[in-house]
Amino acid sequence: MKPRETVVVHGDYSLDSVAALFALFLDRNVVVPVVTLTDTTLDTLVEHCRRAISSGRPGRVRRSRTSPHGPNPPHGPNPPDRPSSPAPRNPPTGPRPCTARLGDPDAAGLVLLSSGSTGAPKVILHSLDVLVGEKLKKRPRRRENALNILMVLMFDHIGGINSLLSTLLVGGTAVLPRQRTPDEICALIERHRILVLPTSPTYLNLIMVGDYHRTHDLSSLRLITYGTEPMSEELLLRVRKTFPGVRLLQTFGTSETGIATTTSESSTANSSSGAGPSSSAICYDDDSLTEDRWFRTGDLVEEAAHGYLRIKGRAKEVINVGGEKLLPLELESVLMGSPLVEDCVVYGRPNAITGQSVCVDTIAMSDR
């Protein structure tokens, strides 16, 4: 394949996928990490990148060109001598591809896909050179004992890419899980004496609900970073109680803005719901920007003392009952404070009188 061609690295974290990511970076390609490759995803990539090369097995690639036999060749949809992948698509004509916005012909790119309101994913192009360069600028001196960091976030997520680059560029060891079950993750923490755990509030809750922190030795942990969703006050209190000697750091980022640098009021960092596009972001949906070029994340925030902001939830999650507005996280936090509730989820349903009504599904606390 040639430099600047768009290459889909199909798969989750593995030695092959990580090696492919950096090999394509050095070869000056545009890399698209995709854990689950669908027809819709491939169509979207071809629309914005003109052509995508799908690589799902070491040494085997497939170009998105039209087959002379159409989508179903004589051997069927997946011939025996070809890797399984979606049928190739016709490269569209019209505006220049998104990847042309890289400008520098020697630049390497990274394409991330985020969910779109119409069902088709949105394409966000980053300069991989800038992403790597930012990490190198902030790189601290190497430790005598290298950090072991567990890759819990997904390979095709901005948080997962950030974790991988941060780990390897400080000379750390990225521990790649075969499965992301709480039992597997906690077993890896114990086995490899993991110091830093990048994760999400939901995952921390699963660890505590399943008592995996009791069945495994997690005493090596020194830092837990969490993001991708808001952290309720009730859950934060339980995490602090469960991991009393571990520093907690909330991160904030989107596919369009990258991971933002945050400052902490105490041990938990809170970040703004509005952010300027990342210095590495080149191609994104301009409809998501304000007139002065701030990105609308769709998050609701509450301003606390000294200018700190607390993320309350997503604007689209608000339940409106006759003009009274409620965020599911607020009620879930109250319910989870009851010793009778093990887990719960709050959501809205249409109501002919009030517009919406509040519904709750709960799991009762079982006797232990």
Side-chain angles (χ1 to χ4, degrees):
M1 59 191 74
K2 300 176 182 178
R4 293 295 292 274
E5 285 192 309
T6 301
V7 183
V8 178
V9 180
H10 180 202
D12 207 343
Y13 279 116
S14 67
L15 294 178
D16 287 332
S17 62
V18 173
L21 173 68
F22 285 101
L24 293 167
F25 165 69
L26 294 175
D27 198 43
R28 312 282 82 194
N29 288 106
V30 177
V31 190
V32 190
V34 178
V35 174
T36 303
L37 186 60
T38 66
D39 286 353
T40 301
T41 299
L42 193 59
D43 282 338
T44 301
L45 288 172
V46 171
E47 176 186 353
H48 290 274
C49 305
R50 292 289 175 88
R51 183 176 67 184
I53 302 173
S54 173
S55 176
R57 300 178 185 178
R60 304 189 73 175
V61 299
R62 185 175 185 181
R63 298 176 182 270
S64 59
R65 291 176 176 169
T66 305
S67 166
H69 301 286
N72 292 304
H75 295 288
N78 294 312
D81 60 336
R82 302 185 70 179
S84 176
S85 62
R89 301 289 186 257
N90 288 316
T93 58
R96 65 176 185 164
C98 172
T99 51
R101 298 194 190 184
L102 280 171
D104 184 352
D106 294 326
L110 172 72
V111 168
L112 298 175
L113 302 170
S114 65
S115 58
S117 58
T118 61
K122 295 185 294 182
V123 171
I124 300 97
L125 173 67
H126 290 262
S127 167
L128 195 49
D129 291 325
V130 173
L131 280 174
V132 173
E134 288 175 345
K135 294 296 179 185
L136 289 173
K137 286 180 183 178
K138 300 175 183 177
R139 181 169 61 178
R141 286 184 297 179
R142 296 198 175 201
R143 299 162 50 101
E144 292 184 5
N145 298 320
L147 288 173
N148 290 340
I149 302 179
L150 196 54
M151 300 294 106
V152 179
L153 302 178
M154 301 295 284
F155 181 55
D156 55 1
H157 187 275
I158 184 64
I161 294 294
N162 181 71
S163 297
L164 179 66
L165 293 178
S166 298
T167 302
L168 298 183
L169 292 178
V170 298
T173 300
V175 179
L176 312 179
R178 293 184 182 274
Q179 296 179 325
R180 286 187 175 85
T181 63
D183 189 32
E184 166 85 0
I185 294 301
C186 290
L188 289 174
I189 294 174
E190 179 178 1
R191 184 182 313 151
H192 296 282
R193 307 302 296 165
I194 299 295
L195 298 176
V196 181
L197 176 65
T199 186
S200 67
T202 295
Y203 209 91
L204 290 170
N205 191 36
L206 289 173
I207 289 175
M208 293 184 295
V209 168
D211 271 345
Y212 297 108
H213 61 290
R214 301 183 191 276
T215 56
H216 297 282
D217 179 8
L218 309 185
S219 61
S220 62
L221 286 176
R222 294 293 178 267
L223 173 65
I224 294 175
T225 65
Y226 60 91
T228 74
E229 60 181 341
M231 171 79 85
S232 70
E233 290 294 329
E234 183 278 333
L235 180 55
L236 183 57
L237 289 174
R238 284 195 290 127
V239 172
R240 284 175 172 164
K241 184 178 179 180
T242 302
F243 303 98
V246 180
R247 182 179 171 228
L248 303 177
L249 178 64
Q250 181 176 0
T251 59
F252 177 84
T254 68
S255 297
E256 291 86 353
T257 63
I259 302 298
T261 300
T262 58
T263 57
S264 175
E265 185 175 20
S266 56
S267 62
T268 305
N270 297 301
S271 182
S272 168
S273 66
S278 164
S279 58
S280 69
I282 299 169
C283 181
Y284 41 80
D285 185 3
D286 285 342
D287 292 339
S288 300
L289 300 179
T290 62
E291 291 183 358
D292 52 352
R293 307 297 290 176
W294 283 82
F295 177 70
R296 297 187 182 94
T297 67
D299 294 308
L300 296 177
V301 300
E302 177 181 86
E303 186 171 1
H306 308 297
Y308 287 97
L309 300 173
R310 179 174 294 107
I311 301 172
K312 303 291 289 183
R314 302 285 291 168
K316 64 182 180 182
E317 295 174 348
V318 172
I319 304 172
N320 191 336
V321 182
E324 292 291 331
K325 297 180 176 62
L326 170 76
L327 279 166
L329 186 65
E330 294 175 331
L331 182 53
E332 289 170 355
S333 182
V334 173
L335 293 172
M336 289 297 293
S338 169
L340 303 178
V341 177
E342 180 173 323
D343 201 4
C344 68
V345 59
V346 174
Y347 55 96
R349 277 187 175 175
N351 184 286
I353 299 175
T354 61
Q356 282 186 297
S357 59
V358 179
C359 300
V360 183
D361 292 341
T362 62
I363 299 176
M365 183 66 72
S366 57
D367 294 331
R368 296 187 184 276

